[in-house]
Amino acid sequence: MILDRVKPLDAILATAQKKSLHRSLGWLQLTLLGIGCVIGTGIFVLTAVGAQKAGPGLMVAFAIAGAVCIVAALCYAEIAAMIPVAGSAYTYSYATIGEFFAWTVGWALIMEYAIAASAVSVGWSGYFSGTVLGGLGIDLPTYLSAGPLALGGVEGGLINLPALLIALLVTGLLVIGTSESAKVNAVLVAIKVTALTAFVIITLGSSDFDPGNFNPFLPAGVFGGWGTGVGAVGAAATMFFAYVGFDAVSTAAEETKDPQRNVPIGLVGSLLFCTVFYILVAAGAIGTVGGQPIMDAMGLPLEAGSAELARQCALPQYAEALVCSNEPLAHVLKVLGFSGFGNAIGLAAFVALPSVILVLIFGQTRIFFVMSRDGLLPEKLSQVHPRFRTPHIVTIITGLAVAIGAAFFPVGQLADISNAGTLYAFLMVAIAVMVLRVKDPGRKRHFRVPFVWLVAPLTIVGCVLLFFNLPTAAMLFLPGWGALGILIYFGYSRSRSHLGRGIVEVVDDVAGEETMVPIHPSDPQG
């Protein structure tokens, strides 16, 4: 039977306790970890993409995405506090609905985090080339600053070298150690929040702020049509990408002190804090310079990240359009005449966006780590560096994959593809919460979702709604990636699964001794 392997929750906790990563993160570090991912991508990078999809309705898109994330975060908070181990939705699924679905979730998360990190690397490259190099009078050749036009880049583009390099640099930092990375991240979060606060004050208080810029408010409507990826809901499906930060917090549960208390605080706190900034910054940008999309002959917004949009943005009449900017927030302030502040915003993004890349690669490597620890992937991948105490092998592999994606693809396409995996994982977490309420109602819950039989179904409905409002290509990528994963599962992972072999492997990292612990006969196994 495919669905017969459900890993005992006590075995998951015991395995993690024996072979675990160092617990060094508190509630403040977790909250900053979440803010480090959430604040940055959607604002510094995807504001232009979202405006191209929804126009001023971008503000509605942020609200829709935020609402789905709030109910999803509540589900995450309950289950992450119950199961404070690495693996996020993968581990939660393993303990509730079984190994097969857990594999599909883990496989989707691997795609989600890696592609998301590539997207942010591309966004960072725009600020680096525009503000930093531009401010120094250096014009990086097109063939070194963007991917090829055929992949949604620009005319004459070949490789996005800055994006490739920043992904590799962040990977090196993560290999050195989680604690060191978290300290750097805290500084970068402070820089980002300060810069965005200044942006909100300047734009909302500017004499150039014109309510007329919000008309028409929904140029592509609320629903742009299934598979089009436009309209307020279509933009929400893209902007959902930026909220992945709270998911990354849950992947750090195994490295958290007092996770039963700190994980829920980090999850919900970072999400609520960040949502306010999304809406305020979007209002300031659109109210001052406008945010109407570039339309095609049928009166619909051109697809973000498409070759045709790149051609239109190269025309003189769109030189100052928000939707064509690679550094949208710096662009807004420069258009308003605040070049100094615009450069400061650009520098803040240049300095701070690597923290987003850091959190995303961090989350992806922890998924790899725990899947390897369960025997579903080669066990050498879960090897911990003897000095740095980090999963260095999977970190390096992930970093190389992220760098390659960032070098050749545009931010809009990468974000939409990443979201397909994100939404699937969030949906499975909502299911896992309900299953655990039925299967294990007596287990201690340090945080309980209020009205769980309303909140969890709302999470499922919200994720399905957003998924079917992604562009068709992004929707099709997930089942294609999933089919490859299923082949690997049945061809390699299922026969090597520790649970399937009736054992739980426990490794004593200090003594270097390996012990095979049989699963009790009454426990489910394949």
Side-chain angles (χ1 to χ4, degrees):
M1 295 291 291
I2 295 177
L3 306 179
D4 60 348
R5 297 180 180 177
V6 179
K7 191 169 187 179
L9 184 54
D10 290 331
I12 293 177
L13 298 176
T15 303
Q17 185 177 7
K18 291 291 184 179
K19 183 184 181 184
S20 62
L21 301 169
H22 179 59
R23 293 189 183 274
S24 61
L25 305 176
W27 70 267
L28 180 59
Q29 287 174 304
L30 275 182
T31 302
L32 293 177
L33 197 66
I35 294 173
C37 190
V38 176
I39 290 289
T41 312
I43 294 299
F44 286 108
V45 179
L46 288 179
T47 302
V49 176
Q52 175 59 27
K53 289 172 175 283
L58 174 62
M59 296 176 63
V60 176
F62 278 133
I64 294 171
V68 175
C69 282
I70 287 174
V71 289
L74 291 173
C75 295
Y76 260 96
E78 173 171 319
I79 203 165
M82 286 178 64
I83 312 175
V85 297
S88 183
Y90 159 77
T91 301
Y92 310 154
S93 299
Y94 212 157
T96 53
I97 53 182
E99 181 179 279
F100 175 74
F101 284 113
W103 166 267
T104 65
V105 170
W107 190 245
L109 288 173
I110 288 173
M111 174 196 77
E112 169 203 335
Y113 282 115
I115 295 179
S118 295
V120 183
S121 298
V122 175
W124 177 88
S125 176
Y127 281 95
F128 174 73
S129 299
T131 297
V132 179
L133 295 185
L136 297 174
I138 300 173
D139 186 13
L140 194 65
T142 302
Y143 67 88
L144 292 179
S145 61
L149 182 63
L151 297 178
V154 299
E155 191 75 47
L158 177 63
I159 184 172
N160 194 328
L161 185 60
L164 182 147
L165 293 177
I166 190 60
L168 294 179
L169 287 173
V170 170
T171 299
L173 177 61
L174 278 169
V175 169
I176 292 175
T178 302
S179 178
E180 292 81 354
S181 302
K183 292 173 183 176
V184 172
N185 179 66
V187 175
L188 299 185
V189 168
I191 293 173
K192 277 193 294 192
V193 172
T194 301
L196 290 177
T197 300
F199 180 89
V200 169
I201 293 173
I202 292 172
T203 54
L204 293 183
S206 172
S207 59
D208 292 302
F209 188 92
D210 181 7
N213 286 333
F214 294 91
N215 186 32
F217 188 69
L218 293 168
V222 177
F223 290 95
W226 301 112
T228 64
V230 300
V233 181
T238 295
M239 306 317 294
F240 193 84
F241 165 82
Y243 289 89
V244 73
F246 78 82
D247 178 37
V249 169
S250 72
T251 70
E254 191 170 341
E255 294 164 84
T256 302
K257 296 177 290 187
D258 191 11
Q260 287 76 14
R261 169 182 176 269
N262 292 333
V263 169
I265 294 176
L267 283 168
V268 180
S270 60
L271 182 62
L272 292 177
F273 181 86
C274 296
T275 301
V276 175
F277 269 104
Y278 274 75
I279 296 175
L280 290 178
V281 172
I286 294 170
T288 50
V289 303
Q292 296 297 331
I294 299 175
M295 301 293 197
D296 62 15
M298 302 296 294
L300 295 174
L302 290 170
E303 182 182 352
S306 67
E308 181 56 32
L309 179 60
R311 293 189 186 96
Q312 293 295 320
C313 286
L315 299 177
Q317 62 263 40
Y318 295 123
E320 293 189 352
L322 175 66
V323 298
C324 291
S325 176
N326 290 326
E327 43 170 2
L329 299 192
H331 170 79
V332 168
L333 294 181
K334 291 174 183 177
V335 170
L336 294 178
F338 294 96
S339 295
F341 282 106
N343 288 331
I345 290 286
L347 289 173
F350 161 73
V351 172
L353 280 181
S355 70
V356 184
I357 306 169
L358 181 150
V359 174
L360 291 168
I361 296 179
F362 174 95
Q364 202 268 14
T365 58
R366 271 47 184 183
I367 302 297
F368 248 134
F369 175 83
V370 76
M371 292 177 75
S372 170
R373 189 172 62 188
D374 288 334
L376 298 179
L377 291 172
E379 296 179 33
K380 188 173 179 61
L381 295 178
S382 62
Q383 182 176 325
V384 176
H385 194 281
R387 177 183 175 188
F388 300 129
R389 308 299 298 165
T390 59
H392 59 294
I393 296 177
V394 294
T395 301
I396 293 172
I397 293 174
T398 298
L400 291 175
V402 168
I404 292 171
F408 298 105
F409 294 94
V411 62
Q413 291 182 1
L414 290 168
D416 285 335
I417 293 173
S418 172
N419 279 353
T422 308
L423 292 166
Y424 176 67
F426 288 0
L427 179 150
M428 296 303 286
V429 168
I431 293 175
V433 167
M434 292 188 291
V435 170
L436 273 178
R437 284 290 186 99
V438 174
K439 289 179 59 178
D440 200 354
R443 185 172 294 274
K444 184 177 181 181
R445 287 167 169 80
H446 298 272
F447 174 82
R448 295 179 65 91
V449 178
F451 308 107
V452 66
W453 299 109
L454 173 64
V455 171
L458 281 176
T459 301
I460 295 171
V461 171
C463 289
V464 171
L465 175 67
L466 293 185
F467 178 81
F468 283 106
N469 276 276
L470 288 168
T472 300
M475 283 193 289
L476 293 177
F477 190 92
L478 179 63
W481 175 258
L484 175 61
I486 290 174
L487 290 176
I488 295 174
Y489 174 73
F490 286 106
Y492 174 89
S493 304
R494 185 170 173 83
S495 63
R496 292 167 174 81
S497 163
H498 292 175
L499 183 62
R501 290 154 57 192
I503 56 174
V504 175
E505 183 181 28
V506 181
V507 177
D508 186 337
D509 286 331
V510 177
E513 298 176 350
E514 187 175 281
T515 305
M516 297 298 184
V517 181
I519 297 177
H520 192 275
S522 63
D523 290 331
Q525 55 182 298

